[in-house]
Amino acid sequence: MGAVSFFAVFFLSLGPVIAVYTTLVNKKAVNSVLSILSAFIWVIGLVLCAATWMILSPIKDVFWFICLYGTMWQEGVRYLLYQMLCLYQRSLAKVGESAEINVNTYLACGVGIAFGYTSVFVIQALVESASSASLFSDKCEHMNIFFSTALHSLCFGVLNCVWTVMMFVALQNKTRRFVAVVVVSHFLASLMTTAGDCAVSLPLLIVLSFGLLVLLFWQLRHYRVGRFALTL
């Protein structure tokens, strides 16, 4: 039973991210490198966020402040990754090379971020699910805590892919309203995780994920995406 639970949690939380990587991202070596780099930077960013949050006593125990602080920090890291893409393009231009930056490039960064976030979020559940015991939370009696964690990780994996592509396209086209959508929806998603009862938070996260996917497709249809030259 422990092995079944372990692989169920693993494939439920990380399976979609791995599927997107193998089918869309790894066709180009540079995209694979961008995914690995994004995952590494994102994990470092989460570690630094947690380290600085620990010193913010006593307001570190205020839920809305935790969500706001974590959201702003993570979106700052996402913006940093975009600036690194700009630097990458300018560096190649100086040596007479060209870099094609398109949706797949943005998606590669998003997949890396999603993998880094999900790995950190679900690692404890993976380890504990390998045992034969099943754990339930007082605030989520409807579902095993391992599978609840896996489903939350799945939602945030999808959301991080969508947020990354949406923000990068918005920054490319200088449409600030989509940047605002990313920040506000990230904050709302973080608040949803504090709802306690997974019967409330999970449906809300699924609805939010679907709504942002629809908005992303609309954004990609109405704004130029492809090779670009950035003016910062």
Side-chain angles (χ1 to χ4, degrees), residues 74-93:
Q74 290 176 64
E75 294 310 323
V77 175
R78 203 185 314 272
Y79 180 74
L80 175 63
L81 285 170
Y82 178 77
Q83 296 290 8
M84 292 177 66
L85 273 180
C86 302
L87 179 61
Y88 162 70
Q89 186 193 32
R90 292 198 301 269
S91 299
L92 287 181

Side-chain angles (χ1 to χ4, degrees), residues 46-215:
L46 290 178
V47 172
L48 292 176
C49 178
T52 56
W53 167 72
M54 290 298 294
I55 67 175
L56 296 176
S57 179
I59 56 177
K60 68 178 184 180
D61 295 324
V62 181
F63 284 128
W64 70 265
F65 177 78
I66 296 173
C67 296
L68 179 62
Y69 180 76
T71 296
M72 300 308 297
W73 185 284
Q74 290 176 64
E75 294 310 323
V77 175
R78 203 185 314 272
Y79 180 74
L80 175 63
L81 285 170
Y82 178 77
Q83 296 290 8
M84 292 177 66
L85 273 180
C86 302
L87 179 61
Y88 162 70
Q89 186 193 32
R90 292 198 301 269
S91 299
L92 287 181
K94 288 181 180 179
V95 296
E97 299 288 340
S98 61
E100 184 177 356
I101 307 297
N102 50 37
V103 175
N104 282 343
T105 310
Y106 298 157
L107 184 61
C109 295
V111 167
I113 290 173
F115 184 82
Y117 181 94
T118 304
S119 298
V120 172
F121 193 78
V122 83
I123 185 66
Q124 184 177 357
L126 275 174
V127 173
E128 294 184 358
S129 65
S131 67
S132 58
S134 294
L135 299 178
F136 291 86
S137 170
D138 293 337
K139 295 183 178 181
C140 187
E141 300 177 353
H142 312 287
M143 186 182 299
N144 187 311
I145 194 171
F146 303 139
F147 294 104
S148 173
T149 302
L151 287 172
H152 278 88
S153 300
L154 169 63
C155 290
F156 271 92
V158 172
L159 285 170
N160 271 299
C161 288
V162 173
W163 285 330
T164 301
V165 176
M166 184 177 291
M167 174 175 278
F168 286 10
V169 173
L171 291 172
Q172 171 189 341
N173 292 281
K174 299 180 180 179
T175 50
R176 296 181 179 178
R177 61 181 178 274
F178 285 106
V179 177
V181 168
V182 171
V183 175
V184 172
S185 61
H186 192 165
F187 177 63
L188 291 176
S190 299
L191 285 177
M192 292 174 189
T193 61
T194 65
D197 193 347
C198 59
V200 175
S201 60
L202 282 174
L204 289 176
L205 285 173
I206 292 172
V207 170
L208 179 63
S209 301
F210 180 78
L212 287 175
L213 273 172
V214 172
L215 181 60

Side-chain angles (χ1 to χ4, degrees), residues 10-26:
F10 176 84
F11 286 113
L12 183 59
S13 57
L14 290 171
V17 175
I18 295 174
V20 172
Y21 173 80
T22 55
T23 57
L24 298 176
V25 173
N26 74 335

